[in-house]
Amino acid sequence: MKAWLKTGLVSTLACLVIAGCSNSSTRTGTTTETQKPQAPAKISISMSDSLNKYALGSTDINNDKWVKKLGELTNTQLDLRLVPHAEFKPKTALMFASTDLPDVMHTIQGMFPEGPDMSGAIKGGLFMPLDDLIKEYGKDLLKAIPQQAWDEVKYNGKIYAIPEYLSHPSRRATFIRKDLLDQTGLPVPKTVDDFLNVLRAMKKNGVAEPYAFRKDFVYSDVIFGAYDVMPYSTMFEKIGDQVVPKFFKVEAMQKALTVYKTMYDEGLMAKDFASLDGNKWTNNINAGKSGVWNHNANLMTNWVNTTKPANPKAVVMIIPSPVGDDGKGGMMKYSYTGGLSYINSKVSKEKAIAIVKMMNYMVTEAGDKFFNFGIEGDTYTMQDGKVVYKQPTTPEATLEEQFRSVMLRMVEDTALNRTLLNTTEDGKRLIQQFDSIVTKEGRNGISFAPELASSGKFTDAGLKFSDMPPVILDHMLKMVYGKEPISDWPKALEDWKAKGGNEIIKEATERYNKKEGVKMGD
């Protein structure tokens, strides 16, 4: 890599005549007989489809006007390869075993260089270290991305991915249809009991499934958060002389499971919750079948728009998540990174430079304007030096904007897009709710970087960033369905320990005592 940067290649590369070619300032370039524009770099990128209906509805996403415009602005020709969101990790593993690895792999959140999903591929030399490239061609990336995020994308001290980043680790929120809440005559719920009473009142008023539950407790773990028993790899706790997952707090876990079972028994969530995928979950919310749900806070304006066609009087807002016995609540606090962009080690030096330059453009002033507002004269105009942009109000236009401003922009602050939100009253309201509610809640714990080797070793018992151990998930589902008594939770823990959990506890405790790669949640 260092040799690449000594070849003098940069002197032959023509800079794009756009704002933010290599920094956020405006540049002007000229073409002479000795300095001809370089042909666009052809770059293939695999990424999650993010369940975005605009992208999924395209017959040829690479001929989409936003994809082509991004290529024009960055002197690239993009070949996007969308991977089903729910299958991203297994399909990525298959890519590693094949010869069809894209130039850039933009992963879903949590696929760290030192984690079980990516470490083998990096050890095998499938991806390149990026320190020198970023230092030379990614100066705006270095300015924009916080050090905590860079620290999370290192392997043996070297940077292996360009990260999306979070300015704040709390990013998930509890949403409510305020119009449905108002119909109940009840105030915004504070405790878990209040939360249940609101759901019951909505049910009485005809809301089919008041709480929007999703398969595998995805975006449905707010009750685990209330009792501080979230079963993820970032959620360990020292109990006695051992470091164990938080679901080892038996009494608190039994309380949480009892709440979920109550919701199931009383019809406060879907009877088929165990198999309810992301698309059906989204459709149910938009159709007005649910009144409360959990999701990423930065998508509130999307929900505002997508719920209105079926429910013209719908009013969506963020409320504090219900609190448990300790007066706290909220969902998992995230790491400081979102999706990560890895570069194939086999790409040419010219292409690697073009990729980093494209990523760098995404955090410049010019890039910010394109991703947030689109194309001047098409989706926005300039008046007195200021952008005049009207955010979309239909579901179709909202999903198109989300594709451009979120999905296509592989480097950004995924906690909140304040530039875009400040253009509307709904957006300003979201900023206020985020700053006053979301940043004040959330759960964290002891985690490890690199992740515990034993978690990757045991399929049934392993804890992942945002996936529950299958053996634990199985017991939870049986208890909510009433097929196992909740009082048997200690037996579920023994089952987990027998299937690899004992080794996970042993490794976690040893690393904690030796202070090896231990991260303490705030």
Side-chain angles (χ1 to χ4, degrees):
M1 180 63 62
K2 290 182 180 179
W4 293 6
L5 306 182
K6 297 178 182 178
T7 60
L9 175 67
V10 68
S11 63
T12 66
L13 294 179
C15 182
L16 295 175
V17 188
I18 57 172
C21 176
S22 61
N23 55 49
S24 60
S25 61
T26 302
R27 296 190 173 203
T28 302
T30 58
T31 302
T32 67
E33 293 181 354
T34 59
Q35 184 182 0
K36 295 181 180 180
Q38 189 177 26
K42 295 182 179 180
I43 299 171
S44 59
I45 304 172
S46 69
M47 60 170 57
S48 163
D49 62 22
S50 299
L51 301 176
N52 182 278
K53 291 184 178 180
Y54 174 82
L56 293 172
S58 173
T59 56
D60 183 0
I61 195 64
N62 293 308
N63 270 321
D64 174 80
K65 78 177 199 177
W66 301 116
V67 176
K68 294 180 76 172
K69 187 64 177 181
L70 177 58
E72 176 188 327
L73 293 170
T74 57
N75 199 31
T76 58
Q77 183 178 331
L78 302 179
D79 172 18
L80 301 188
R81 303 175 184 181
L82 303 184
V83 180
H85 186 75
E87 303 171 33
F88 193 87
K89 287 187 178 181
K91 285 190 177 292
T92 295
L94 289 175
M95 286 185 201
F96 294 157
S98 73
T99 57
D100 189 28
L101 199 65
D103 301 324
V104 178
M105 178 172 286
H106 182 69
T107 73
I108 59 176
Q109 190 165 33
M111 297 182 70
F112 305 110
E114 292 187 328
D117 300 303
M118 300 299 299
S119 59
I122 290 174
K123 284 180 184 177
L126 296 185
F127 300 103
M128 64 173 64
L130 305 174
D131 302 73
D132 294 325
L133 280 168
I134 293 170
K135 184 177 180 181
E136 184 70 21
Y137 303 102
K139 290 181 171 58
D140 294 290
L141 293 169
L142 292 173
K143 293 177 186 176
I145 299 172
Q147 187 58 46
Q148 297 99 319
W150 289 119
D151 291 341
E152 291 179 4
V153 296
K154 290 182 179 180
Y155 185 89
N156 288 340
K158 293 184 177 181
I159 294 171
Y160 271 86
I162 297 173
E164 291 179 322
Y165 61 95
L166 279 81
S167 55
H168 196 282
S170 288
R171 64 174 297 198
R172 287 170 59 189
T174 297
F175 293 84
I176 197 165
R177 281 274 304 278
K178 186 178 182 299
D179 56 307
L180 297 179
L181 175 66
D182 290 344
Q183 290 172 22
T184 69
L186 296 172
V188 171
K190 295 181 179 179
T191 67
V192 171
D193 285 341
D194 294 340
F195 190 76
L196 286 173
N197 286 333
V198 166
L199 298 180
R200 289 175 178 129
M202 286 185 176
K203 181 75 174 181
K204 186 176 180 180
N205 286 345
V207 180
E209 300 157 359
Y211 181 66
F213 199 98
R214 186 165 155 183
K215 180 181 177 182
D216 297 342
F217 291 85
V218 174
Y219 294 116
S220 308
D221 49 6
V222 68
I223 303 302
F224 291 133
Y227 292 101
D228 198 21
V229 288
M230 285 188 167
Y232 306 126
S233 65
T234 57
M235 295 290 177
F236 280 79
E237 188 169 309
K238 192 171 189 294
I239 300 178
D241 60 355
Q242 290 185 318
V243 175
V244 298
K246 287 196 174 187
F247 55 74
F248 264 65
K249 296 187 289 189
V250 174
E251 183 180 354
M253 191 67 183
Q254 288 173 330
K255 287 182 178 180
L257 289 170
T258 298
V259 172
Y260 281 117
K261 188 175 189 306
T262 298
M263 292 165 64
Y264 173 74
D265 290 342
E266 297 184 17
L268 304 180
M269 64 187 195
K271 291 296 184 181
D272 60 346
F273 73 91
S275 60
L276 208 152
D277 64 18
N279 282 319
K280 188 174 180 182
W281 175 82
T282 300
N283 292 337
N284 285 349
I285 295 171
N286 288 337
K289 291 184 177 180
S290 301
V292 184
W293 64 98
N294 303 118
H295 206 207
N296 296 334
N298 65 336
L299 296 177
M300 187 189 83
T301 54
N302 290 15
W303 288 114
V304 167
N305 293 333
T306 58
T307 55
K308 281 190 179 298
N311 319 275
K313 296 182 180 180
V315 178
V316 177
M317 65 179 291
I318 290 173
I319 60 172
S321 299
V323 300
D325 298 335
D326 63 356
K328 299 178 182 179
M331 284 140 285
M332 176 180 67
K333 286 188 177 181
Y334 280 67
S335 64
Y336 278 89
T337 57
L340 308 178
S341 294
Y342 294 84
I343 300 180
N344 189 332
S345 61
K346 294 183 179 179
V347 304
S348 69
K349 53 189 177 183
E350 293 87 355
K351 183 176 288 190
I353 291 170
I355 291 168
V356 173
K357 282 187 172 184
M358 177 184 69
M359 299 289 186
N360 189 77
Y361 170 78
M362 294 180 180
V363 297
T364 63
E365 184 179 341
D368 197 53
K369 181 180 288 187
F370 165 68
F371 290 109
N372 284 322
F373 307 123
I375 301 169
E376 184 175 0
D378 178 6
T379 51
Y380 76 90
T381 58
M382 298 295 296
Q383 290 183 9
D384 300 324
K386 295 182 179 180
V387 173
V388 178
Y389 175 73
K390 185 177 181 180
Q391 282 196 334
T393 56
T394 66
E396 296 78 13
T398 298
L399 290 167
E400 181 178 354
E401 180 193 68
Q402 184 184 349
F403 171 75
R404 183 190 72 238
S405 65
V406 179
M407 186 172 166
L408 196 58
R409 190 176 190 176
M410 293 177 284
V411 189
E412 63 169 329
D413 180 1
T414 58
L416 213 62
N417 187 334
R418 294 175 186 268
T419 300
L420 185 57
L421 292 171
N422 264 313
T423 62
T424 68
E425 290 306 311
D426 281 337
K428 292 174 182 177
R429 197 156 35 245
L430 171 53
I431 292 173
Q432 187 274 327
Q433 291 174 11
F434 183 88
D435 290 340
S436 63
I437 298 174
V438 181
T439 61
K440 303 294 192 298
E441 62 182 35
R443 297 289 194 174
N444 216 332
I446 299 171
S447 60
F448 300 90
E451 292 186 34
L452 300 173
S454 50
S455 273
K457 179 179 177 181
F458 297 104
T459 303
D460 286 334
L463 288 94
K464 298 293 182 65
F465 174 71
S466 59
D467 297 330
M468 300 182 182
V471 64
I472 289 296
L473 177 62
D474 183 58
H475 282 291
M476 291 193 306
L477 292 175
K478 288 178 180 177
M479 289 178 182
V480 173
Y481 274 120
K483 295 180 179 180
E484 286 182 7
I486 293 174
S487 59
D488 276 358
W489 186 250
K491 294 181 180 179
L493 297 181
E494 291 302 316
D495 189 17
W496 178 79
K497 289 194 289 186
K499 292 179 178 177
N502 279 325
E503 192 166 330
I504 291 173
I505 292 172
K506 181 174 182 291
E507 183 186 358
T509 303
E510 288 177 352
R511 283 185 54 180
Y512 178 85
N513 291 335
K514 294 178 181 178
K515 297 181 173 59
E516 292 180 351
V518 179
K519 299 172 66 178
M520 304 295 293
D522 53 10

